[in-house]
Amino acid sequence: MECDKIRNLINDYIDNELDERRFKEVEKHLKICPDCGKLEKDLRANVVDPLRNSERIKAPLGVWQKVEEAISVKTNKVYVFRRTLGWAIFLRKKPILIPVALMIMFLLTIFITNNPNITKQQTINNYLLDQIQSLSELSMNGEEDSYGSDLNLDTAIERYLFI
Amino acid sequence: MNNVSEDVLMKASKGDMSAFKSLYDSTSDYIFNIALRITGNKEEAEEVAQDVFLKVYNGLKDFKFRSNIKTWIYRITVNTAINASKKRSKETKRYADYSENIAQVSSGSDITDIIDIKEAEKDVQSLLGLLNAEQRACIVLRDIEGFSYEEIAGALKININTVRSRLSRARQAILNEIRKRGDNDGM
């Protein structure tokens, strides 16, 4: 019975976690009980001391770089989030802007949907106007042997302009 | 863990990266060491260490400076390492190579500073694999980091008697295995 009680306290004894009275009680028992004494020595020699004497292993150098990168990415995300949040707060203060913005987006969508070639057509028109202007300038300089007057490649644009 | 001045902590909590680097330099070896002993795997320990520092960076601005920074960082480390360890399903297989993992990390640190791991220590390290993650955490904090029972209870937020029982069972399990191996070798 005495041994069971001591064995329950043996780790506290090894770790110096007992009050003075109990410490002395365990110490006294360990001196007179070979089994409990052996258990204490085995625990110290095979489990506790090897771990306590173990070397501290240094953190690899790459860890800090990864931490720094992760913090940088997170900081950027926070910045984007704060800007978005700022807009949300602004719109909340001016609620009339939300339906106005939605209406504009709706009308633009309808307009673009109904005129799918609007941007394409505009580009073609601009190109044709440029060409007309430059050809007109060539033909207006009055010289017979001008580059513009001899030029006839029978292209669609020439047919369009000179017919 | 080296003491970190309150001034450095205050600056780090406001996002000062050079102050945070000072905190990292003072604590990284301790954090990595605990993570490695609990997970038993170098790559996993690195991930745990990164995760811990991100948590510390994010948590510093809310940290109550009257609390103990050491206990707080250890708590984050141990909990992160325990969770990482539990996620791994092939725990038994991983720990078969535990001592080799530790040896590789040690010798890989610096060629002039190769750590000669004693055979007895290697045996114990491999035997840590017999324990569950919570028991390993208690053993590491007590025997490697030198925490008192009260400090372990505080770091893990558990009852001090739970610390006692985990340590007792863990040490007994390791000792039983050593005795078993000794018997087998003698046969």
Side-chain angles (χ1 to χ4, degrees):
Chain A
M1 193 62 193
E2 177 71 5
C3 287
D4 287 342
K5 184 183 155 192
I6 296 298
R7 283 172 188 227
N8 281 334
L9 297 173
I10 209 157
N11 282 293
D12 290 62
Y13 174 78
I14 290 170
D15 293 327
N16 214 5
E17 291 273 347
L18 293 174
D19 58 46
E20 198 179 341
R21 185 185 63 80
R22 282 186 168 183
F23 187 87
K24 283 184 177 171
E25 192 184 336
V26 175
E27 194 175 45
K28 189 178 162 190
H29 179 86
L30 293 176
K31 281 178 183 167
I32 57 168
C33 175
D35 288 345
C36 292
K38 185 177 183 314
L39 175 64
E40 187 243 335
K41 279 179 187 159
D42 282 353
L43 279 171
R44 281 189 194 276
N46 296 305
V47 185
V48 178
D49 289 346
L51 277 171
R52 286 187 185 172
N53 297 331
S54 65
E55 298 285 344
R56 186 175 302 285
I57 296 158
K58 290 187 175 181
L61 294 174
V63 174
W64 169 249
Q65 287 168 341
K66 288 177 184 169
V67 169
E68 209 175 15
E69 277 171 25
I71 288 173
S72 170
V73 169
K74 191 184 175 301
T75 309
N76 287 340
K77 279 184 183 171
V78 168
Y79 175 72
V80 170
F81 175 73
R82 281 184 181 163
R83 281 194 65 175
T84 313
L85 193 67
W87 272 105
I89 291 167
F90 173 73
L91 288 173
R92 199 172 171 185
K93 284 180 182 170
K94 310 270 183 192
I96 189 67
L97 290 176
I98 296 173
V100 170
L102 287 173
M103 182 59 76
I104 290 169
M105 283 171 68
F106 178 69
L107 291 172
L108 267 173
T109 310
I110 289 175
F111 182 70
I112 292 168
T113 311
N114 290 336
N115 298 281
N117 294 326
I118 187 164
T119 47
K120 191 178 169 186
Q121 190 62 48
Q122 188 63 45
T123 311
I124 293 168
N125 289 348
N126 288 341
Y127 171 76
L128 287 173
L129 281 171
D130 283 350
Q131 295 300 313
I132 290 165
Q133 194 177 355
S134 60
L135 287 169
S136 303
E137 282 171 4
L138 284 170
S139 62
M140 282 170 67
N141 63 12
E143 293 175 16
E144 287 296 318
D145 59 344
S146 71
Y147 176 75
S149 60
D150 291 343
L151 190 67
N152 188 358
L153 299 174
D154 195 28
T155 60
I157 188 69
E158 286 169 325
R159 284 197 298 276
Y160 172 77
L161 287 169
F162 300 118
I163 288 171
Chain B
M1 190 183 286
N2 299 336
N3 286 331
V4 184
S5 73
E6 198 167 307
D7 182 47
V8 168
L9 290 175
M10 286 294 283
K11 283 181 182 169
S13 71
K14 288 173 184 164
D16 182 332
M17 279 307 279
S18 65
F20 189 68
K21 178 73 164 66
S22 300
L23 177 64
Y24 173 88
D25 290 339
S26 310
T27 56
S28 58
D29 289 349
Y30 294 87
I31 288 173
F32 180 73
N33 208 42
I34 291 175
L36 184 64
R37 304 280 180 181
I38 293 177
T39 61
N41 179 283
K42 185 198 162 206
E43 285 76 25
E44 205 165 37
E46 281 188 39
E47 282 175 23
V48 167
Q50 289 161 32
D51 204 7
V52 167
F53 280 107
L54 281 178
K55 287 176 183 172
V56 169
Y57 182 83
N58 293 332
L60 263 179
K61 53 183 170 288
D62 300 321
F63 179 69
K64 308 281 186 295
F65 284 90
R66 58 181 177 274
S67 313
N68 189 333
I69 185 83
K70 175 181 156 185
T71 308
W72 180 62
I73 292 178
Y74 274 117
R75 184 184 302 144
I76 294 172
T77 307
V78 171
N79 288 336
T80 309
I82 287 175
N83 289 339
S85 188
K86 281 180 177 173
K87 274 185 189 171
R88 279 251 186 140
S89 55
K90 295 173 181 176
E91 202 154 337
T92 313
K93 184 185 177 302
R94 175 161 49 100
Y95 265 90
D97 300 327
Y98 187 97
S99 55
E100 279 183 22
N101 260 310
I102 304 276
Q104 280 171 9
V105 178
S106 303
S107 59
S109 309
D110 186 349
I111 196 73
T112 58
D113 189 28
I114 295 173
I115 299 163
D116 180 24
I117 296 179
K118 295 169 187 169
E119 284 306 310
E121 187 198 334
K122 279 174 77 175
D123 285 345
V124 173
Q125 283 163 344
S126 70
L127 290 166
L128 282 175
L130 297 167
L131 311 176
N132 63 40
E134 285 86 358
Q135 288 174 332
R136 275 200 301 274
C138 282
I139 283 267
V140 168
L141 288 180
R142 174 61 216 159
D143 290 335
I144 296 178
E145 297 303 322
F147 274 40
S148 68
Y149 287 6
E150 199 177 338
E151 285 174 322
I152 298 173
L156 300 181
K157 281 197 170 176
I158 53 175
N159 188 289
I160 197 165
N161 287 325
T162 310
V163 175
R164 278 198 173 86
S165 67
R166 283 183 188 174
L167 274 174
S168 174
R169 283 178 190 165
R171 285 175 178 167
Q172 196 58 54
I174 290 175
L175 189 61
N176 289 346
E177 183 63 22
I178 288 173
R179 283 174 173 168
K180 203 167 84 183
R181 288 182 187 181
D183 289 347
N184 289 340
D185 290 344
M187 282 169 75

